[in-house]
């Protein structure tokens, strides 16, 4: 009986979590058919699903998705590799933070897409400019959250660790890094979403493949169901990527004891 109850609870939980999405899809299907919106510009969901399946069948969806994921994940990985160590350095050493603070404030308030023409002019319309704009956009949420996480480390734990004569590397390993994991992963999850959104915009300029290119080309050709199919694909990828990052965060945070 226990396995059956566990399965029942899992199904109930899954249904509850997906209820809002199911309602949205039902409204999307019904609104054009009932004439509440123009079906030319917002076709029923079933037509979008059919277009998505056709794009998948002829290989176009796979080709565009692979192109986008390669650029997005590549830029995202570079941003994580650069921003986390740099954030730890800036957050720990106050003189470095004071020196770089004005520069960080300047660039953090400069939107990535506003600099897209600059990246294109300097790096061309090839892969380098697209990956670079993703790196730029992803660095800031990771960097700023990492700096904040280090600066907000529990001072009592830090003093206790120093009283035990822990070296700086040991202090980082035993105190700073574990306490910083939640905030750092908040920045990483934000960067994961940004990596996809910024790339889609970048792919609308000069790209020959990618989901952004697919959406833009479908709009110009008035292939509206295909356009929405690309948008839905981006949304699904974003949700899946976020869930992967949440699972990794939980894996790295097993040491934490939940408070009641």
């Amino acid at each position: 009986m226990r396995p059956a109850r566990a399965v029942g609870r899992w199904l109930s939980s899954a249904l509850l979590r997906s209820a809002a999405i199911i309602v949205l899809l039902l409204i999307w299907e019904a609104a054009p058919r009932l004439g509440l919106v123009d079906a030319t510009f917002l076709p029923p969901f079933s037509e979008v699903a059919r277009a998505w399946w056709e794009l998948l069948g002829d290989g176009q969806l796979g080709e565009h998705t692979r192109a986008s994921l390669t650029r997005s994940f590549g830029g995202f990985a570079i941003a994580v590799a650069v921003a986390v160590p740099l954030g730890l350095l800036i957050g720990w050493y106050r003189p470095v933070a004071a020196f770089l603070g004005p520069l960080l404030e300047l660039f953090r308030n400069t939107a990535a897409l506003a600099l897209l023409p600059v990246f294109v002019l300097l790096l061309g319309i090839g892969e380098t400019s697209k990956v670079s704009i993703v790196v730029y956009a992803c660095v800031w949420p990771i960097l700023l959250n990492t700096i904040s996480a280090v600066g907000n480390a529990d001072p009592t734990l830090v003093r206790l660790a120093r009283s035990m004569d822990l070296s700086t590397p040991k202090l980082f390993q035993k105190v700073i890094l574990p306490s910083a994991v939640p905030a750092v992963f908040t920045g990483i999850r934000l960067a994961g979403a940004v990596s996809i959104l910024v790339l889609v915009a970048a792919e609308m300029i000069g790209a020959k493949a990618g989901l952004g290119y697919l959406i833009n080309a479908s709009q110009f050709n008035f292939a509206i169901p295909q356009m929405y199919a690309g948008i839905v694909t981006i949304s699904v990828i974003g949700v899946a990527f976020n869930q992967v990052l949440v699972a990794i965060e939980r894996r790295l945070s097993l040491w934490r004891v939940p408070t009641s």
Side-chain angles (χ1 to χ4, degrees):
M1 293 295 293
R2 289 183 179 178
R5 290 178 182 176
V7 171
R9 286 196 298 268
W10 181 84
L11 290 175
S12 298
S13 176
L15 183 61
L16 180 63
R17 290 196 302 267
S18 59
I21 296 177
I22 294 173
V23 170
L24 174 63
L25 295 180
L26 291 175
I27 294 173
W28 185 354
E29 180 70 25
R33 297 190 182 280
L34 296 176
L36 300 178
V37 296
D38 192 337
T40 303
F41 303 108
L42 182 63
F45 177 73
S46 58
E47 292 187 17
V48 174
R50 189 180 307 114
W52 186 92
W53 186 255
E54 291 174 355
L55 288 171
L56 180 66
D58 62 19
Q60 290 188 61
L61 187 65
E63 176 188 353
H64 293 304
T65 301
R66 279 192 298 273
S68 289
L69 291 182
T70 300
R71 297 164 181 155
S72 179
F73 290 172
F76 172 80
I78 294 171
V80 172
V82 170
V84 172
L86 185 59
L88 294 173
L89 177 67
I90 295 173
W92 184 251
Y93 294 103
R94 298 298 174 86
V96 178
F99 176 71
L100 295 178
L103 197 61
L104 296 179
E105 286 297 321
L106 173 65
F107 282 103
R108 69 174 287 194
N109 290 298
T110 304
L113 292 180
L115 294 177
L116 180 57
V118 177
F119 280 88
V120 172
L121 286 174
L122 294 177
L123 303 174
I125 60 174
E127 297 299 309
T128 305
S129 62
K130 294 176 179 59
V131 174
S132 298
I133 195 70
V134 171
V135 172
Y136 178 86
C138 291
V139 156
W140 300 110
I142 302 173
L143 180 64
L144 296 175
N145 275 273
T146 303
I147 294 172
S148 176
V150 175
N152 293 329
D154 190 338
T156 302
L157 291 177
V158 174
R159 286 196 298 269
L160 179 60
R162 289 190 183 281
S163 70
M164 299 172 65
D165 294 327
L166 287 182
S167 63
T168 298
K170 283 290 185 181
L171 179 62
F172 259 87
Q173 179 184 355
K174 300 296 184 181
V175 178
I176 302 300
L177 288 179
S179 65
V181 165
V184 171
F185 262 88
T186 297
I188 290 175
R189 288 171 61 189
L190 289 172
V194 168
S195 69
I196 297 173
L197 298 178
V198 170
L199 176 66
V200 168
E203 286 178 340
M204 292 181 177
I205 302 177
K208 295 182 179 179
L211 292 172
Y213 168 80
L214 172 65
I215 293 170
N216 204 38
S218 299
Q219 178 195 9
F220 279 117
N221 295 325
F222 213 72
I224 303 301
Q226 286 82 351
M227 182 188 76
Y228 282 106
I231 295 172
V232 169
T233 302
I234 292 169
S235 300
V236 172
I237 290 173
V239 171
F241 191 24
N242 182 69
Q243 290 303 309
V244 170
L245 293 176
V246 168
I248 296 174
E249 178 184 0
R250 288 174 179 168
R251 183 80 175 180
L252 295 177
S253 303
L254 293 177
W255 60 271
R256 300 179 68 195
V257 179
T259 57
S260 56

